[in-house]
Every structure is written in C-alpha cells, then in structure tokens.
Amino acid sequence: MRILIVEDERSLADIVKKGLEEEGYIIDIAYNGEEGLYMAENEPSDIIILDIMLPVVDGMTILKRIRKTGIQTPVLMLTAKDTVIDKVSGLDSGADDYLTKPFFFDELLARIRALTRRNSGVKSSTIEIGDLVIDMAAREVRRGGKDILLSPREYALLEYMAINKNKALSRTFLTDHLYDQDFNLDSNVIDVFINRIRNKIDRRFDKKLIHTLRGSGYMLKG
Ligand code: CA
C-alpha cells in the first residue's frame, strides 16, 4: 500500500515515513503544498496524509483541488489546532478523517487501517478468502487453521491483494502501489513475490487462491 505524506515539518514527516515503512507501507513525501498537490494528482496513492498548515499551497486548498478533479483517495488530515471549525471545514471539503498533532504513532496506524477498510468495503480487520484468514491488525495469516509466516514484503502484497480480492490486478498496478520508485525495478519483481506467496499459501492445498490472469496480472479469489 502506498501512502503520500504532505507535511512541511521534516522531522515529523521523516519519523512517520520510517515508522510506516517498517510496517510495510511504501511512502512518498512532499515537504510543501505545491509538491504535495502535484504528487496527489500524479502518484498512485492509496491514502494521503495531509497537513493543513503548509507553505505555498495549504492543505485545505489541496484537498478541495483534488476532490474537484475527481480523485477519491482517502485523505487523513493532520492539524495542530484541535478546533471544531478546522474539523468541520475539512470534512466539508472531503477529508475522510482527522488527527490532531501531536499524536501517537499507533493511533495513526489504526486510522490508516480503518481508512483502508472503509475505502475497500471491508467491515472488520480480518479478511477471509475461503479458508485463508488475514488479520490486518495483527498482520497474521492463516490457512486451514495453520499459521503462515510471510516476510513484510510478501505480507504487504498479499494484504493488498486481499483488500482488492476478486479484482484483476495488473503487474503495473501492483508495482505502482507496492514498490518504491527507487527500488530497482525488475519487471518480474511481482512474479517473484507471487511465487513465494504461492509456495506458502497455495502449494499444499488443492484449491488455489492466487489466479494468474492471461496477459498481465493476478487475482486473489476464493
Ligand atoms: Ca505544517
């Protein structure tokens, strides 16, 4: 999952980036509003974390602009001011949630997970695909009642496919949402990870859950 952070306090942006990367998210950062607006409109983000007080273009203006152009990416706004007026105007402008600074990192994580679920129509933090169970809060995977150990990258790919279950996901789409641009991209990186996950969740079972689509992609389907 790919998250765009628009925040001019560099130390805060960098700490959040580091923490989220450790959780397996791919992070883009914009340190001012102009860059943030450009990236929000051009990068394939799954969630945007948007500070309100920003140099050049403020967060509220960015939010209004991207909603006007039809970008529906969930937006979590950050504000230093815990004022009702900020919250109301932010929500009116199309923000999905709010977090007042300073915040605990765990709370940010919980909000991100909630936004992800809401956006994908997943009701709980657990996704079931046949007898495969993905617990997104605990980041645990089981199939047929047995725990399956995945590396952070394998987990990130499987979780993303689970959130988008029953949908055809092209290699390009998966690459855009799961890998850093600086990650030296071999076009078959997705295939490599899919093979590893298949070995862990599908190999010992008759019913396969990961389907290869003719042409270009994959689908997770029960
Ligand atoms: Ca700021």
Side-chain angles (χ1 to χ4, degrees):
M1 242 188 53
R2 188 156 175 173
I3 298 177
L4 170 62
I5 300 171
V6 188
E7 167 63 80
D8 60 315
E9 276 174 60
R10 283 182 182 254
S11 55
L12 176 63
D14 294 346
I15 281 175
V16 169
K17 173 180 158 82
K18 189 163 177 283
L20 290 176
E21 280 176 346
E22 279 165 14
E23 297 291 322
Y25 294 104
I26 301 303
I27 307 300
D28 299 306
I29 296 189
Y31 295 112
N32 69 57
E34 189 181 26
E35 203 185 338
L37 179 58
Y38 178 82
M39 290 171 84
E41 288 180 331
N42 294 286
E43 298 291 340
S45 311
D46 295 294
I47 288 181
I48 300 170
I49 298 174
L50 182 59
D51 187 30
I52 291 182
M53 304 284 278
L54 290 166
V56 194
V57 183
D58 70 89
M60 214 64 87
T61 305
I62 294 178
L63 178 61
K64 285 180 192 155
R65 281 274 297 273
I66 63 172
R67 287 294 183 252
K68 214 172 165 185
T69 53
I71 295 168
Q72 294 303 322
T73 311
V75 171
L76 172 64
M77 296 212 88
L78 297 182
T79 174
K81 300 176 289 179
D82 187 17
T83 60
V84 174
I85 192 86
D86 259 5
K87 291 189 177 175
V88 170
S89 56
L91 293 170
D92 278 348
S93 306
D96 297 272
D97 201 0
Y98 252 96
L99 201 51
T100 305
K101 293 195 269 189
F103 51 82
F104 287 107
F105 185 70
D106 282 350
E107 174 154 26
L108 176 67
L109 275 182
R111 302 286 184 102
I112 289 172
R113 286 196 296 263
L115 278 180
T116 306
R117 289 199 300 271
R118 216 189 301 162
N119 194 44
S120 57
V122 177
K123 297 277 185 295
S124 77
S125 60
T126 302
I127 301 180
E128 291 183 26
I129 294 141
D131 58 353
L132 177 72
V133 181
I134 297 164
D135 180 337
M136 295 191 289
R139 302 173 69 79
E140 285 171 359
V141 177
R142 288 188 302 282
R143 183 157 186 198
K146 288 215 171 87
D147 289 337
I148 293 169
L149 289 178
L150 298 174
S151 74
R153 281 195 182 276
E154 291 164 1
Y155 176 83
L157 175 55
L158 182 66
E159 185 194 84
Y160 199 73
M161 292 180 77
I163 289 167
N164 294 288
K165 66 180 178 179
N166 303 324
K167 286 184 198 155
L169 304 168
S170 72
R171 279 190 191 86
T172 314
F173 181 84
L174 289 171
T175 308
D176 281 350
H177 286 262
L178 291 161
Y179 298 97
D180 229 316
Q181 288 135 322
D182 355 325
F183 192 79
N184 202 353
L185 264 197
D186 193 338
S187 63
N188 69 4
V189 63
I190 291 290
D191 304 301
V192 170
F193 282 106
I194 289 278
N195 279 337
R196 289 190 200 161
I197 298 173
R198 267 191 171 136
N199 269 329
K200 294 181 179 182
I201 71 162
D202 268 349
R203 194 163 51 97
R204 292 187 304 276
F205 296 85
D206 289 335
K207 187 169 171 53
K208 309 299 181 196
L209 303 176
I210 297 177
H211 304 266
T212 302
L213 305 174
R214 229 197 307 173
S216 63
Y218 296 99
M219 185 191 288
L220 189 60
K221 187 168 167 283

